[in-house]
Amino acid sequence: MRTDGRQWDALRPVTMTMNPNKYAEGSVLIEFGDTKVLCTASVEERVPPFMKGQGKGWITAEYSMLPRATQVRNQRESAKGKLTGRTMEIQRLIGRALRSVVDLPALGERTITIDCDVIQADGGTRTTSITGAFVALALAVHKLSKNHEFAKYPITAYLASVSVGVINGKTLLDLNYEEDSKAKVDMNVVMTGDGKFVEIQGTGEEAPFSRTELNELLGAAESGILELVAKQKAALGLFGNRIGTANA
Amino acid sequence: MRTDGRQWDALRPVTMTMNPNKYAEGSVLIEFGDTKVLCTASVEERVPPFMKGQGKGWITAEYSMLPRATQVRNQRESAKGKLTGRTMEIQRLIGRALRSVVDLPALGERTITIDCDVIQADGGTRTTSITGAFVALALAVHKLSKNHEFAKYPITAYLASVSVGVINGKTLLDLNYEEDSKAKVDMNVVMTGDGKFVEIQGTGEEAPFSRTELNELLGAAESGILELVAKQKAALGLFGNRIGTANA
Amino acid sequence: MRTDGRQWDALRPVTMTMNPNKYAEGSVLIEFGDTKVLCTASVEERVPPFMKGQGKGWITAEYSMLPRATQVRNQRESAKGKLTGRTMEIQRLIGRALRSVVDLPALGERTITIDCDVIQADGGTRTTSITGAFVALALAVHKLSKNHEFAKYPITAYLASVSVGVINGKTLLDLNYEEDSKAKVDMNVVMTGDGKFVEIQGTGEEAPFSRTELNELLGAAESGILELVAKQKAALGLFGNRIGTANA
Amino acid sequence: MRTDGRQWDALRPVTMTMNPNKYAEGSVLIEFGDTKVLCTASVEERVPPFMKGQGKGWITAEYSMLPRATQVRNQRESAKGKLTGRTMEIQRLIGRALRSVVDLPALGERTITIDCDVIQADGGTRTTSITGAFVALALAVHKLSKNHEFAKYPITAYLASVSVGVINGKTLLDLNYEEDSKAKVDMNVVMTGDGKFVEIQGTGEEAPFSRTELNELLGAAESGILELVAKQKAALGLFGNRIGTANA
Amino acid sequence: MRTDGRQWDALRPVTMTMNPNKYAEGSVLIEFGDTKVLCTASVEERVPPFMKGQGKGWITAEYSMLPRATQVRNQRESAKGKLTGRTMEIQRLIGRALRSVVDLPALGERTITIDCDVIQADGGTRTTSITGAFVALALAVHKLSKNHEFAKYPITAYLASVSVGVINGKTLLDLNYEEDSKAKVDMNVVMTGDGKFVEIQGTGEEAPFSRTELNELLGAAESGILELVAKQKAALGLFGNRIGTANA
Amino acid sequence: MRTDGRQWDALRPVTMTMNPNKYAEGSVLIEFGDTKVLCTASVEERVPPFMKGQGKGWITAEYSMLPRATQVRNQRESAKGKLTGRTMEIQRLIGRALRSVVDLPALGERTITIDCDVIQADGGTRTTSITGAFVALALAVHKLSKNHEFAKYPITAYLASVSVGVINGKTLLDLNYEEDSKAKVDMNVVMTGDGKFVEIQGTGEEAPFSRTELNELLGAAESGILELVAKQKAALGLFGNRIGTANA
């Protein structure tokens, strides 16, 4: 039994509060249990210098934790004067994952920046961020689609993410902080709504793992992600149906 | 008439959601209209090096805005690698204001750090932050008082803050962003619950002001602050009665 | 009696050495007692990016202390790699105060940067800086006016600043360092030559103050500032008469 | 056929020049084709502050590319004043991977820092680095073992890494730069000498991949890694036999 | 003839205003023509970490130019967030030169920091700084000697510095800015009062020079430096006689 | 006798491995005994902003040491976030020295950046770097000359550098690390192939030196440099004959 009473293959309660921010083109406050992330999408009608003149759009992401999102207060990265390696790694991951489901030429020469700010952290902040970032992105593209005639709808698939791990030889889905710190194997998986892998990042720093264990972890992750995608569809409602159809 | 229908001497709707953060020793989500600030208080059982061995405590504050708290997205200070002058000025102000109502020797050798993170900004983020920071501080001291025998109660008075300004010759209380950008004179006032000034910062960059105008501004600020203090008292409830009594 | 023998409402001896720097468009070495600040004005025929194409000029200021300007040597901000919050706060204040008496469209698309470098500090470095910065600015605008046909004279009023504070219940004008560190209330006031407030920054970190005390502080500041403006007029001589007249 | 004539499942020529550096406790110049990385191991008889007093050792890694290691010269990170996200991500990966095969309590309170400096880059710099870093680490531990009586031999398994990718639907092993920039799926795998996974990092930014493709990629990686481990064993010679035996 | 009417082998007018700073243990405002440098010596009763426990003192120097010390305003290094290579090179030179005439064990475990702040620059700021830094150092050591019983007098020789250069085949002493920018060969020489070389830094970036030219340059430098030392002796007066005698 | 058995006026064994880097326009791995420096030349068809539109080329250099190039591991400058003064001083010296033998107008509007990365350090890294940097530069210019019609050949002379020092009253050529740390006088000399001085940097921090000693040091340096130039000529072969002829 898990400390919070969950089955080993159960997600924590997931909630998505849509558009809590009155300025952003799209936003969601997403919660995986006690992990709460505010995701906002900001649209700019230009692309970064290295993308100019290619007729393509750009998607990028930034990630940060409030100093007291965690049990012990962390120093702000702005006060330290630099981003930690962990932050850079996570925001690169979020951006890369989102771009895998966006048709950048269809988006046109504009940039969508997704900010993932962790309000409270209880494990799984990067998977919660990716899952929420997709929703904020979808809201922003939907808003854009009201004023822009896209030749093709730029979002090509749903996208969500979840963590899996091994504790005492048991495969667990969606680890909270306490579980995460005990897990021997720790894996984050990002998949599309049609069941393809976008990112797999697995680490067995404390105990290398076999191919059999890997397969079990990926199976658990897949079912968790499909459940998350179902929740995203429910939250986005009707207009979410355009995702992946290429119908403008 | 004001754009949001308020009287010239009326505050915006004020709400305080108590202890939204499960880790912090005290926290509040405070809203002045559409300005929303999450204030958390973190207690550490040590003081900074320059305070060591004096038998006194320390109160400090940090302030930050989420990148899309505003109409146009701002670059993160962590990405820039340094704090802006505006941020430094505001967090120095918050810390100084809070220390004015704390008996540092009575607090003992511990540090309370108040983080004010602006979730959404619509004018008055520094006054909202100070008003919320006081509440988070009071919650943290109250929590401390359950386990520590204070010889004297360390909070000596209530504290709140509001902005006032002049538009078209009219004195306005608690300016929203649109009003703030039109005001010729802009003033932030911090007062104690017993009506004394802790900070006055008034600037007439676009139009110097007379002593008469100053008096009118201070009068408006005073009545707004007393109203805010009443709301703080209501939110803190019974234990708020110890504030200012020195009864441990 | 004050430690240096002054009356409670007396300024320290004020001297202004005009144009000590052979390169700057305007410069002054200003002394308030043992506080000595070198103020230089540098004119550039362009404005910062955010001001471009608006047909307006820009005034900005920088402030720094030499490492041994103080009793104990301070580390250089260049060696630390960043400006302190105190420095940023002061240079923002100086720039804002100067802009309040400059008609930026009349100045035309050029920038005047005022550098205030504290050679020796004995309290009141920010008020000394503002008072000297105005003189350096006036010298530079006068020099500009010899070669440029201003449609209107760009300086709209005189500007000076002084500190006031409360020690043992007594209101003191122009505090030196020793007094400053003992004062319970500390206030810096910037006024125009015609007696209007440009900035009021008062802090009662150690003891909140009442409206009555505030009025007494402002009265003392006002008489000190008018005396400083008289000294500025004497130093600038004839051409100073154009200030505030709008006569090109 | 691959541009360099290799079979799709063939490694590039691998060479290891042992101990090229006269100061380091262990060093190797490792080459995967035209990718050349100098790996040095430095032993210090202390651990970082966060590890103190736990009776355990620490392994950490740093990664850098010489500015002209690549076709076009890159600006130095020392000149930029900060590490890129890519560098941080890679050096965190190398350190984590090495720690998975070291028994930190057996190592004792000392730190081994592995520096991986890329002299020339032609794809696969992170996998070349990990494979070489292990060799440098093994040399340093062997040197230590001559003077220290380890109760248990601190290296618990061999460790190597290789990249795999998909181009035109074909799975390729050990991609060079040209192949890497064309691959739709890109995966780096780190395994122990006994065939267990330590890290899997796969990304399908340009084309999500199925479970079937994943299995094919992992199969190719596994055979490549076992071949690399055989080369490591040959290079380390006799004393390499102690690795994984726990015999001190 | 030189633009300022000097002979080719003449120094500019040299003045030294002794102890202009009321806090520093020693200070001098030194002028070589229009080049003006404020040198202050600060004594601390401790040494940097790398010198601890060796029973020796330490001498270090910092150098900076005010932003408008030059014809065109320079950005502050504090605003840039780092020191330029030129500044680092100069302050390393000043410190090294001063240490060559101090008996560090005789000084005892204390640090003297010499700050050289260029108030106005017209060529030769580093040679003016070294010459003035020596005077400030001598004043500080003299002040120390009143309260400390030195077993040996810690300053072992006088020290001064001058620049020499070649313009149109002619060797010039003590170049001003205009000459400096025209010189093909540029050399800074630091010597002791008894005619020994401490530093020679000569560069022929625009025209390599022969041994004959070098000898002529060194001859000119030597006579200039001896003249500067005579001025230092005159300025220091009686107590300067102890320098180089080792009599405590 | 010297610790490595050399005569006092002998160079260490010098080797130059030509073009070890497959991407750089010119490169050499140069060794002075155990000091090994990889020098690469990178050509860009543009000049830095401050050189634009002058019809001239630019030569610049960067210098760095691998962290374990030395007996004790050094922290990376990229991790520190800034270059040390020593690094800046050395790379400024290398660039200046190279420019003294390049006809910048003849080179045309392009930049050649020479990177000197110290792989292993045993004294004399700056003189080894300069000597190798010249070879890399010559290789790059030769490669350029195959595709560009230079009106004049842009390299005007050979250039090499060596260190000299005084130990126990004896003048030594080309000091290794152990000797360098014992030397009282330490001098680096850069000369052209026709025996003219480009840079002399001599420091007698621990013992000032006389004109006689200086002459002996310069004599030793000259003969060492001429020997190094002979080795450069041998390494460059036939095309090296164009250097200094101005024949395109």
Side-chain angles (χ1 to χ4, degrees):
Chain A
M1 253 316 186
R2 295 168 76 169
T3 54
D4 55 5
R6 270 189 290 161
Q7 295 299 317
W8 67 268
D9 59 351
L11 295 174
R12 290 176 284 179
V14 175
T15 67
M16 301 181 199
T17 307
M18 306 299 274
N19 286 317
N21 177 301
K22 78 168 186 172
Y23 302 120
E25 281 72 31
S27 64
V28 65
L29 175 65
I30 186 165
E31 304 176 43
F32 279 20
D34 280 339
T35 292
K36 304 180 186 186
V37 183
L38 179 59
C39 303
T40 57
S42 299
V43 178
E44 278 175 304
E45 294 295 318
R46 54 179 179 159
V47 287
F50 70 93
M51 293 290 292
K52 260 184 198 152
Q54 301 179 31
K56 301 199 296 187
W58 187 241
I59 307 288
T60 188
E62 296 194 3
Y63 168 95
S64 183
M65 290 214 290
L66 294 196
R68 196 58 196 274
T70 46
Q71 284 185 295
V72 173
R73 186 180 183 274
N74 287 298
Q75 201 193 349
R76 288 173 193 268
E77 291 177 314
S78 56
K80 285 185 208 166
K82 59 180 176 184
L83 300 179
T84 62
R86 179 183 175 277
T87 291
M88 290 216 204
E89 202 171 299
I90 295 175
Q91 61 194 22
R92 282 159 56 92
L93 167 65
I94 302 171
R96 209 162 56 223
L98 293 174
R99 288 192 295 273
S100 75
V101 292
V102 175
D103 181 332
L104 296 175
L107 181 61
E109 286 221 357
R110 54 180 62 88
T111 299
I112 305 182
T113 302
I114 312 292
D115 286 289
C116 299
D117 285 273
V118 180
I119 303 296
Q120 192 170 275
D122 187 25
T125 64
R126 79 188 71 188
T127 55
T128 311
S129 292
I130 291 169
T131 307
F134 176 81
V135 173
L137 173 69
L139 290 168
V141 169
H142 178 59
K143 192 170 177 194
L144 267 176
S145 74
K146 294 182 190 166
N147 305 308
H148 296 269
E149 301 255 344
F150 286 120
K152 289 169 61 185
Y153 199 72
I155 305 186
T156 60
Y158 271 84
L159 183 92
S161 176
V162 81
S163 71
V164 281
V166 176
I167 300 184
N168 300 335
K170 196 106 193 92
T171 296
L172 269 71
L173 178 68
D174 188 23
L175 287 67
N176 64 26
Y177 177 73
E178 195 189 328
E179 292 167 343
D180 196 44
S181 43
K182 280 190 240 156
K184 295 283 178 205
V185 179
D186 181 18
M187 183 169 287
N188 293 295
V189 180
V190 186
M191 293 183 90
T192 60
D194 45 354
K196 292 213 161 183
F197 294 108
V198 165
E199 286 271 345
I200 299 175
Q201 295 199 340
T203 178
E205 179 174 344
E206 312 212 4
F209 51 100
S210 66
R211 186 81 79 94
T212 313
E213 286 171 298
L214 172 63
N215 281 328
E216 201 170 333
L217 287 162
L218 295 175
E222 183 170 358
S223 76
I225 287 173
L226 295 181
E227 198 176 331
L228 288 167
V229 169
K231 287 174 196 289
Q232 289 174 325
K233 284 185 179 164
L236 289 175
L238 262 188
F239 79 81
N241 293 337
R242 296 170 75 190
I243 290 170
T245 61
N247 293 333
Chain B
M1 254 315 188
R2 295 168 76 167
T3 54
D4 54 5
R6 268 189 292 160
Q7 296 298 318
W8 67 268
D9 59 352
L11 295 173
R12 289 176 285 180
V14 174
T15 67
M16 301 182 199
T17 308
M18 306 300 272
N19 285 317
N21 178 300
K22 78 168 185 172
Y23 303 121
E25 281 71 33
S27 65
V28 65
L29 174 64
I30 186 167
E31 304 175 43
F32 279 20
D34 281 337
T35 293
K36 303 179 187 186
V37 183
L38 178 59
C39 303
T40 58
S42 298
V43 178
E44 279 175 303
E45 294 296 319
R46 54 179 178 161
V47 288
F50 70 93
M51 292 290 291
K52 261 184 196 151
Q54 300 179 31
K56 302 199 296 187
W58 187 242
I59 308 288
T60 186
E62 296 194 3
Y63 168 96
S64 183
M65 290 215 290
L66 295 196
R68 195 59 196 275
T70 45
Q71 284 186 295
V72 173
R73 185 180 183 274
N74 286 298
Q75 200 192 350
R76 288 174 194 268
E77 290 177 313
S78 57
K80 285 185 207 167
K82 59 181 175 180
L83 301 178
T84 61
R86 180 182 175 276
T87 290
M88 289 216 206
E89 202 171 300
I90 295 175
Q91 61 193 21
R92 282 159 55 91
L93 167 64
I94 302 172
R96 210 162 55 221
L98 293 174
R99 287 192 296 273
S100 75
V101 292
V102 175
D103 181 332
L104 296 175
L107 181 61
E109 286 221 357
R110 54 182 61 91
T111 299
I112 304 182
T113 302
I114 312 292
D115 287 288
C116 299
D117 286 273
V118 180
I119 304 296
Q120 193 171 273
D122 187 25
T125 65
R126 78 187 73 188
T127 56
T128 310
S129 293
I130 291 168
T131 307
F134 177 81
V135 173
L137 172 69
L139 290 168
V141 169
H142 177 60
K143 191 169 178 195
L144 268 176
S145 74
K146 294 180 189 167
N147 305 309
H148 297 268
E149 302 255 344
F150 287 120
K152 290 169 60 184
Y153 199 72
I155 306 185
T156 61
Y158 273 84
L159 183 92
S161 176
V162 81
S163 71
V164 282
V166 176
I167 299 184
N168 300 334
K170 196 106 191 92
T171 296
L172 269 71
L173 179 69
D174 187 21
L175 286 67
N176 64 26
Y177 178 71
E178 194 188 331
E179 292 168 343
D180 195 45
S181 44
K182 280 191 239 157
K184 295 284 178 207
V185 179
D186 181 20
M187 184 170 287
N188 293 295
V189 180
V190 187
M191 293 183 91
T192 60
D194 46 353
K196 293 213 159 184
F197 294 110
V198 166
E199 286 272 345
I200 299 175
Q201 296 200 340
T203 178
E205 179 174 344
E206 312 211 5
F209 51 100
S210 66
R211 185 79 79 94
T212 313
E213 287 171 299
L214 172 62
N215 281 327
E216 203 170 331
L217 287 161
L218 295 175
E222 183 171 0
S223 76
I225 287 172
L226 295 181
E227 197 177 331
L228 288 167
V229 169
K231 288 175 197 287
Q232 290 174 325
K233 284 184 179 164
L236 288 175
L238 264 189
F239 78 81
N241 293 337
R242 297 168 76 190
I243 291 170
T245 62
N247 293 334
Chain C
M1 256 313 187
R2 295 168 76 168
T3 54
D4 55 5
R6 268 188 291 160
Q7 296 298 318
W8 67 269
D9 59 351
L11 295 173
R12 289 176 285 180
V14 174
T15 68
M16 301 182 198
T17 308
M18 305 300 272
N19 285 318
N21 178 300
K22 78 168 185 171
Y23 303 120
E25 281 71 32
S27 64
V28 65
L29 175 63
I30 186 166
E31 305 176 42
F32 279 21
D34 281 338
T35 292
K36 303 179 187 187
V37 183
L38 179 59
C39 303
T40 57
S42 299
V43 178
E44 279 174 303
E45 294 296 318
R46 55 178 177 159
V47 288
F50 70 93
M51 293 290 293
K52 260 183 197 154
Q54 300 179 31
K56 302 198 295 188
W58 186 242
I59 308 288
T60 187
E62 296 194 4
Y63 168 95
S64 184
M65 290 214 290
L66 294 195
R68 196 58 197 274
T70 45
Q71 284 185 295
V72 172
R73 185 180 183 274
N74 287 299
Q75 200 193 348
R76 288 173 194 269
E77 290 177 315
S78 56
K80 284 185 209 168
K82 59 181 176 183
L83 301 179
T84 61
R86 180 183 175 275
T87 290
M88 290 217 203
E89 202 171 299
I90 295 176
Q91 60 193 21
R92 282 158 55 90
L93 167 65
I94 302 172
R96 209 162 55 221
L98 292 174
R99 287 192 297 273
S100 76
V101 292
V102 175
D103 181 333
L104 296 175
L107 182 60
E109 287 222 356
R110 54 181 61 89
T111 299
I112 305 182
T113 301
I114 312 292
D115 286 290
C116 298
D117 285 273
V118 180
I119 304 297
Q120 193 170 274
D122 187 25
T125 65
R126 78 188 73 188
T127 55
T128 311
S129 292
I130 291 169
T131 307
F134 178 80
V135 173
L137 172 69
L139 289 167
V141 169
H142 177 59
K143 191 169 178 196
L144 268 176
S145 73
K146 295 182 188 165
N147 305 310
H148 296 269
E149 302 255 343
F150 286 120
K152 289 169 60 184
Y153 199 73
I155 305 185
T156 60
Y158 272 83
L159 182 92
S161 177
V162 81
S163 72
V164 283
V166 177
I167 299 184
N168 299 333
K170 195 107 192 95
T171 295
L172 269 72
L173 180 68
D174 187 22
L175 286 68
N176 63 26
Y177 177 73
E178 193 188 332
E179 292 167 343
D180 196 44
S181 43
K182 280 191 239 156
K184 295 283 178 205
V185 179
D186 181 18
M187 184 170 284
N188 293 295
V189 180
V190 187
M191 292 184 91
T192 60
D194 45 352
K196 293 213 161 183
F197 295 109
V198 165
E199 286 272 345
I200 299 175
Q201 295 200 340
T203 178
E205 179 174 344
E206 312 212 3
F209 51 101
S210 66
R211 186 79 80 93
T212 313
E213 286 171 300
L214 172 63
N215 281 327
E216 202 171 331
L217 287 162
L218 295 175
E222 182 170 359
S223 75
I225 287 172
L226 295 181
E227 198 177 330
L228 289 167
V229 169
K231 286 174 196 289
Q232 290 173 325
K233 285 185 177 163
L236 289 175
L238 262 189
F239 78 80
N241 293 337
R242 296 169 76 191
I243 290 169
T245 60
N247 292 335
Chain D
M1 254 314 184
R2 296 168 76 167
T3 54
D4 55 7
R6 267 188 293 160
Q7 296 298 317
W8 67 269
D9 59 351
L11 295 173
R12 290 176 285 181
V14 174
T15 68
M16 302 182 199
T17 307
M18 305 300 273
N19 285 319
N21 178 300
K22 78 168 184 172
Y23 302 121
E25 282 70 33
S27 64
V28 65
L29 175 64
I30 186 166
E31 305 177 42
F32 279 20
D34 281 337
T35 292
K36 304 179 186 187
V37 183
L38 179 59
C39 304
T40 57
S42 299
V43 178
E44 279 174 303
E45 295 296 318
R46 54 176 179 162
V47 287
F50 71 93
M51 293 290 293
K52 260 183 197 153
Q54 301 179 29
K56 301 199 296 187
W58 187 242
I59 308 288
T60 187
E62 296 195 4
Y63 167 96
S64 184
M65 290 214 290
L66 294 196
R68 196 57 196 275
T70 45
Q71 284 185 296
V72 172
R73 183 179 185 277
N74 286 298
Q75 199 192 350
R76 289 174 193 269
E77 291 177 313
S78 57
K80 284 185 208 166
K82 59 181 176 182
L83 302 178
T84 61
R86 179 183 175 277
T87 290
M88 288 216 205
E89 202 171 298
I90 295 175
Q91 61 193 21
R92 281 159 55 92
L93 167 64
I94 302 171
R96 210 161 55 221
L98 294 174
R99 286 192 297 272
S100 75
V101 293
V102 175
D103 181 332
L104 297 175
L107 181 60
E109 287 221 356
R110 54 181 61 90
T111 300
I112 305 182
T113 302
I114 313 292
D115 287 289
C116 299
D117 285 274
V118 181
I119 304 296
Q120 193 170 272
D122 187 25
T125 64
R126 78 188 72 188
T127 56
T128 311
S129 292
I130 291 169
T131 307
F134 177 80
V135 173
L137 173 68
L139 290 168
V141 169
H142 177 60
K143 190 168 179 197
L144 268 176
S145 74
K146 295 182 189 165
N147 305 308
H148 297 269
E149 301 256 342
F150 286 121
K152 289 168 61 184
Y153 199 72
I155 306 186
T156 61
Y158 272 83
L159 183 92
S161 177
V162 81
S163 71
V164 281
V166 177
I167 299 184
N168 300 334
K170 196 105 193 94
T171 295
L172 269 71
L173 179 69
D174 187 22
L175 286 67
N176 64 26
Y177 177 72
E178 194 189 332
E179 292 168 343
D180 195 45
S181 44
K182 279 190 238 155
K184 295 283 178 206
V185 178
D186 181 19
M187 183 169 288
N188 293 294
V189 179
V190 187
M191 291 182 92
T192 61
D194 45 352
K196 293 213 160 184
F197 294 109
V198 166
E199 285 272 346
I200 299 175
Q201 294 200 340
T203 179
E205 179 174 345
E206 312 212 4
F209 51 100
S210 66
R211 186 80 79 93
T212 312
E213 287 171 299
L214 173 64
N215 281 327
E216 201 170 331
L217 287 162
L218 294 175
E222 183 171 357
S223 76
I225 287 172
L226 295 181
E227 197 178 331
L228 289 167
V229 168
K231 286 175 197 290
Q232 289 174 326
K233 284 185 178 163
L236 288 176
L238 262 189
F239 78 80
N241 293 337
R242 296 168 78 189
I243 291 171
T245 61
N247 293 334
Chain E
M1 254 316 185
R2 294 168 78 168
T3 54
D4 55 6
R6 270 187 291 158
Q7 295 299 318
W8 67 269
D9 59 352
L11 295 173
R12 290 176 284 180
V14 174
T15 68
M16 301 182 200
T17 307
M18 306 300 272
N19 285 319
N21 177 300
K22 78 168 184 171
Y23 303 120
E25 281 71 33
S27 65
V28 65
L29 175 65
I30 186 165
E31 305 176 42
F32 280 20
D34 281 338
T35 293
K36 303 180 187 186
V37 183
L38 179 59
C39 304
T40 57
S42 299
V43 178
E44 278 174 303
E45 294 296 319
R46 55 177 177 161
V47 287
F50 70 93
M51 293 290 292
K52 260 184 198 154
Q54 300 179 30
K56 302 199 295 187
W58 187 243
I59 307 288
T60 188
E62 296 194 5
Y63 168 95
S64 183
M65 290 215 289
L66 294 197
R68 195 59 196 274
T70 46
Q71 284 185 295
V72 172
R73 185 180 183 275
N74 287 297
Q75 200 193 349
R76 289 174 193 268
E77 291 177 313
S78 57
K80 284 185 207 166
K82 59 180 177 184
L83 301 179
T84 62
R86 179 183 175 277
T87 291
M88 289 216 204
E89 202 171 298
I90 294 175
Q91 61 193 22
R92 281 159 56 91
L93 168 64
I94 301 171
R96 210 163 53 222
L98 293 174
R99 286 192 296 272
S100 76
V101 293
V102 175
D103 181 332
L104 296 176
L107 182 60
E109 287 221 357
R110 54 181 62 90
T111 299
I112 305 182
T113 302
I114 312 292
D115 287 288
C116 298
D117 285 274
V118 180
I119 303 296
Q120 194 170 271
D122 187 25
T125 64
R126 78 188 72 188
T127 56
T128 310
S129 292
I130 292 168
T131 306
F134 177 80
V135 174
L137 172 69
L139 290 167
V141 169
H142 178 60
K143 190 169 179 197
L144 268 176
S145 74
K146 294 181 190 166
N147 305 308
H148 296 267
E149 302 255 344
F150 287 120
K152 290 169 60 184
Y153 200 72
I155 304 186
T156 61
Y158 272 84
L159 182 92
S161 176
V162 82
S163 71
V164 282
V166 177
I167 299 185
N168 301 333
K170 196 105 192 92
T171 295
L172 268 71
L173 179 68
D174 187 22
L175 286 68
N176 64 26
Y177 177 73
E178 195 189 328
E179 291 167 344
D180 195 45
S181 43
K182 280 190 238 155
K184 296 282 179 208
V185 179
D186 181 18
M187 183 170 288
N188 293 295
V189 181
V190 187
M191 292 183 91
T192 60
D194 45 353
K196 294 215 159 181
F197 294 108
V198 166
E199 287 271 344
I200 300 175
Q201 295 200 339
T203 179
E205 178 174 345
E206 312 212 4
F209 52 100
S210 66
R211 187 81 80 93
T212 313
E213 287 171 300
L214 173 63
N215 281 327
E216 200 170 332
L217 287 161
L218 295 175
E222 183 171 359
S223 76
I225 287 172
L226 295 181
E227 197 177 331
L228 288 167
V229 169
K231 287 176 196 288
Q232 288 174 326
K233 284 184 178 164
L236 289 175
L238 262 187
F239 78 79
N241 293 337
R242 297 168 75 190
I243 291 170
T245 61
N247 294 334
Chain F
M1 253 315 185
R2 296 168 77 168
T3 55
D4 54 6
R6 269 188 291 160
Q7 296 298 318
W8 67 269
D9 59 352
L11 295 173
R12 290 176 285 180
V14 174
T15 67
M16 301 182 199
T17 308
M18 306 299 273
N19 284 319
N21 177 301
K22 77 168 186 172
Y23 302 120
E25 281 71 33
S27 64
V28 65
L29 175 64
I30 186 166
E31 304 176 44
F32 279 20
D34 280 338
T35 292
K36 304 179 186 186
V37 183
L38 179 60
C39 304
T40 57
S42 299
V43 178
E44 279 174 303
E45 294 296 319
R46 56 179 177 158
V47 288
F50 71 92
M51 294 289 294
K52 261 186 196 152
Q54 301 179 29
K56 301 199 296 189
W58 187 242
I59 308 288
T60 187
E62 296 194 4
Y63 167 96
S64 184
M65 289 214 290
L66 294 196
R68 195 58 197 273
T70 45
Q71 284 185 294
V72 173
R73 185 180 184 275
N74 286 298
Q75 200 193 351
R76 289 173 193 270
E77 291 176 314
S78 57
K80 284 185 209 166
K82 59 180 177 184
L83 301 178
T84 61
R86 180 182 175 275
T87 290
M88 289 216 205
E89 202 172 298
I90 294 175
Q91 61 192 22
R92 282 159 55 92
L93 168 64
I94 302 171
R96 210 162 55 221
L98 293 174
R99 287 192 297 272
S100 75
V101 293
V102 175
D103 182 333
L104 295 175
L107 181 61
E109 286 221 358
R110 55 181 61 90
T111 299
I112 305 183
T113 302
I114 313 292
D115 286 289
C116 298
D117 285 274
V118 180
I119 304 295
Q120 193 170 273
D122 187 26
T125 64
R126 79 188 71 189
T127 55
T128 311
S129 293
I130 291 168
T131 306
F134 177 79
V135 173
L137 173 69
L139 290 168
V141 169
H142 177 59
K143 190 170 178 195
L144 267 176
S145 73
K146 295 182 188 165
N147 304 309
H148 296 268
E149 302 255 342
F150 285 121
K152 290 170 59 184
Y153 199 73
I155 305 186
T156 61
Y158 272 84
L159 183 92
S161 176
V162 81
S163 71
V164 281
V166 177
I167 299 185
N168 300 332
K170 195 103 192 98
T171 296
L172 269 70
L173 179 68
D174 188 22
L175 286 68
N176 63 26
Y177 177 72
E178 195 189 331
E179 292 168 343
D180 195 44
S181 43
K182 281 190 238 154
K184 295 284 179 206
V185 178
D186 181 18
M187 184 169 287
N188 294 295
V189 180
V190 187
M191 292 184 90
T192 60
D194 45 353
K196 294 215 161 182
F197 294 109
V198 166
E199 286 272 346
I200 299 176
Q201 295 200 339
T203 179
E205 179 174 343
E206 311 213 3
F209 51 100
S210 66
R211 186 79 80 94
T212 313
E213 287 171 298
L214 173 63
N215 281 329
E216 201 169 332
L217 287 162
L218 294 174
E222 183 169 358
S223 76
I225 286 172
L226 295 181
E227 198 177 330
L228 288 168
V229 168
K231 287 175 197 288
Q232 289 173 325
K233 284 185 178 162
L236 288 175
L238 263 188
F239 78 79
N241 292 338
R242 297 169 76 189
I243 291 170
T245 60
N247 293 334

